[in-house]
Amino acid sequence: MPGFEFFGAEERKEVNDVLQTGILMRYGFDGARNGIWKSQELEKAICETFGSEYAHLTSSGTAALTTAMAALGVGAGDEVIMPAFTFVASFEAILSVGAIPVLVDVDDTLTLKPEAVKAAITPQTKCIMPVHMCGSMADLDALKAICAEHNLLLLEDACQSIGGTYKGKKLGTIGDAGTFSFDFVKTITCAEGGVVMTNNKEVLTKCDGFTDHGHDHLGVDRGADLHPFIGYNFRISELHAAVGLAQIRKLDTFLSIQKRNHTRLKNILSTVPEISFRRVPDAEGDSCTFLSWFLPTEEATRAFVTEMKAQGIMPGNFYWFDNNWHYIKKWDHLKRAKSLFPLSLDQQLSLMNLGSKDFSASDAVMGRCISTAISLLWNDEQIDAKGNKIVEVVKQVLGK
Ligand SMILES: *Cc1c(COP(=O)(O)O)cnc(C)c1O
């Protein structure tokens, strides 16, 4: 997954272009910046690379989700359906616009279970937010059909699946809007950053203003800008965009290495009949940042994790079920509505109800799931050694 593994002269060159002029901000200072517009250049490159009509950079992936929801008009009283397995950023962004996160089950795609989404729809539902976790995608045809039937927005959190596709289209460009994160551990990094992609010009214009204090960017200078609506500061800096510009040019290389390493590792794990793999709605489109796989029982999976840890070889393998960042089970702060500032009453009520909600269908999937991160730096011997070691430990805990 991480582009930071391939950081080098190209990134330094782009950053140096900016350092030469000293104009670190993306807006204004037209004369002094000497024609250097890294943020604009990166937005153009994102549109070309992913086939999105428009793209607007933000200071983070979380800011991108917040911005997208604001631009789509999601706010107070609205319910947003999201998966119980994701990164905490998903509910943070929903809460930040005053909306209510409605967490529902995932299935063996590790993403939203369409039947659970259907069952969660109420008159307050405004938006469905699939999260394309660990490099691969949600069942977008099923979710699009639900959106069409109930007149709902589709916002793709593609923060973890840069470069993945679904039926030939890039993830993040299929819904009403989609987001990437460019934080330090994502497929391409800006150190910190994110983007909203959309094919709707009006949504783009709203993102542009919302991320910069509501400035309409139509004045002769910033002081002359008008403010058609309230905004905040979710701007990216030119230094961050410069890093991303070097990284996006390497994306094809990253993806081809990921696919190659993923296939080699999967072939080794496939020799064990008890190991099954994550269901991928469009196998061609997996960005292959992780290989996610299942053991037959939670008990066997826990035994595997214990033995891998005992041998000191667990790093790089993730048991999300026990992870504080990624699964409902450990989100006590959310379930107890522990916000520093008072949340609205309807937000508090819905969060307090989360603790008693049944997620046994997700537990049955996540309790048996291991995701192995795919490194760009592995050579074949290293992949074989890792794969063989996993196979050995699996056989040991299964008593084979
Ligand atoms: C990383 C991530 C985000 C947020 O990105 P930041 O840039 O770290 O704010 C949102 N959603 C998912 C699924 C992520 O993995």
Side-chain angles (χ1 to χ4, degrees):
M1 165 143 115
F4 75 74
E5 291 180 324
F6 270 33
F7 187 91
E10 302 81 5
E11 285 77 2
R12 281 191 283 276
K13 190 254 162 207
E14 294 298 322
V15 173
N16 273 326
D17 286 350
V18 178
L19 291 176
Q20 227 104 65
T21 67
I23 305 302
L24 313 183
M25 187 187 188
R26 71 163 298 176
Y27 296 111
F29 305 92
D30 294 26
R33 64 193 313 134
N34 211 9
I36 306 278
W37 300 91
K38 295 298 180 190
S39 306
Q40 286 186 19
E41 223 185 308
L42 180 54
E43 283 163 352
K44 190 158 165 274
I46 288 169
C47 290
E48 285 165 7
T49 305
F50 300 101
S52 175
E53 203 73 42
Y54 308 104
H56 191 77
L57 290 165
T58 57
S59 50
S60 71
T62 312
L65 287 169
T66 301
T67 300
M69 275 183 278
L72 293 171
V74 177
D78 293 331
E79 293 178 355
V80 180
I81 297 177
M82 58 165 276
F85 172 52
T86 176
F87 181 52
V88 287
S90 305
F91 62 72
E92 291 166 0
I94 295 170
L95 290 171
S96 76
V97 296
I100 300 167
V102 176
L103 279 74
V104 306
D105 277 321
V106 295
D107 59 18
D108 59 348
T109 64
L110 306 185
T111 66
L112 282 177
K113 180 179 177 164
E115 300 78 50
V117 171
K118 268 190 219 163
I121 291 173
T122 74
Q124 281 70 50
T125 308
K126 178 94 171 240
C127 177
I128 298 178
M129 188 167 88
V131 184
H132 305 306
M133 281 299 276
C134 307
S136 172
M137 82 280 327
D139 185 345
L140 285 168
D141 277 350
L143 297 176
K144 277 201 301 196
I146 297 171
C147 286
E149 188 185 335
H150 297 272
N151 194 23
L152 304 173
L153 296 161
L154 184 69
L155 169 58
E156 297 176 79
D157 178 345
C159 288
Q160 290 200 7
S161 296
I162 300 173
T165 59
Y166 179 72
K167 302 195 172 170
K169 282 192 176 160
K170 295 285 199 295
L171 300 179
T173 68
I174 296 163
D176 295 284
T179 63
F180 291 151
S181 162
F182 302 128
D183 80 20
F184 194 56
V185 296
K186 296 304 203 281
T187 305
I188 53 182
T189 186
C190 293
E192 300 287 356
V195 71
V196 182
M197 293 175 292
T198 180
N199 294 322
N200 183 326
K201 179 83 193 276
E202 200 182 317
V203 171
L204 182 269
T205 305
K206 288 175 176 171
C207 291
D208 182 59
F210 184 78
T211 51
D212 187 25
H213 305 291
H215 288 307
D216 67 2
H217 300 136
L218 297 173
V220 286
D221 62 52
R222 285 177 68 74
D225 279 343
L226 297 176
H227 303 91
F229 48 78
I230 297 167
Y232 299 87
N233 179 1
F234 293 129
R235 292 189 304 258
I236 196 163
S237 84
E238 285 286 278
L239 291 172
H240 292 87
V243 177
L245 199 51
Q247 287 262 303
I248 199 171
R249 295 182 186 130
K250 300 178 179 180
L251 178 62
D252 284 345
T253 307
F254 295 169
L255 292 172
S256 66
I257 297 172
Q258 279 176 183
K259 283 191 186 178
R260 194 178 160 280
N261 292 354
H262 183 277
T263 304
R264 193 173 179 100
L265 186 67
K266 188 173 180 184
N267 286 341
I268 299 171
L269 268 59
S270 299
T271 59
V272 182
E274 288 84 359
I275 292 180
S276 57
F277 296 92
R278 168 199 199 158
R279 183 162 59 85
V280 178
D282 177 5
E284 286 286 296
D286 192 342
S287 74
C288 296
T289 56
F290 285 89
L291 177 64
S292 295
W293 49 281
F294 303 106
L295 283 173
T297 63
E298 181 185 330
E299 195 190 4
T301 313
R302 288 196 177 279
F304 171 82
V305 171
T306 303
E307 181 56 28
M308 291 287 282
K309 283 184 177 162
Q311 295 193 27
I313 50 175
M314 189 62 187
N317 297 284
F318 296 88
Y319 186 47
W320 308 116
F321 195 48
D322 280 351
N323 185 294
N324 291 343
W325 282 15
H326 290 281
Y327 189 56
I328 176 83
K329 189 156 73 82
K330 292 289 184 88
W331 291 339
D332 288 331
H333 65 317
L334 180 71
K335 289 182 269 191
R336 294 167 62 198
K338 291 208 134 206
S339 173
L340 289 179
F341 57 88
L343 297 173
S344 73
L345 206 56
D346 54 1
Q347 286 178 322
Q348 288 183 45
L349 286 174
S350 84
L351 294 184
M352 301 303 266
N353 282 331
L354 260 185
S356 55
K357 198 168 164 183
D358 176 20
F359 288 103
S360 53
S362 302
D363 290 348
V365 172
M366 299 313 301
R368 299 184 296 109
C369 178
I370 301 285
S371 293
T372 305
I374 302 296
S375 171
L376 301 174
L377 302 176
W378 288 341
N379 61 34
D380 286 351
E381 293 81 69
Q382 288 170 314
I383 299 172
D384 293 352
K386 274 177 197 297
N388 290 333
K389 200 69 210 174
I390 290 173
V391 166
E392 186 187 308
V393 175
V394 166
K395 285 185 172 166
Q396 184 187 330
V397 302
L398 291 174
K400 301 276 161 181

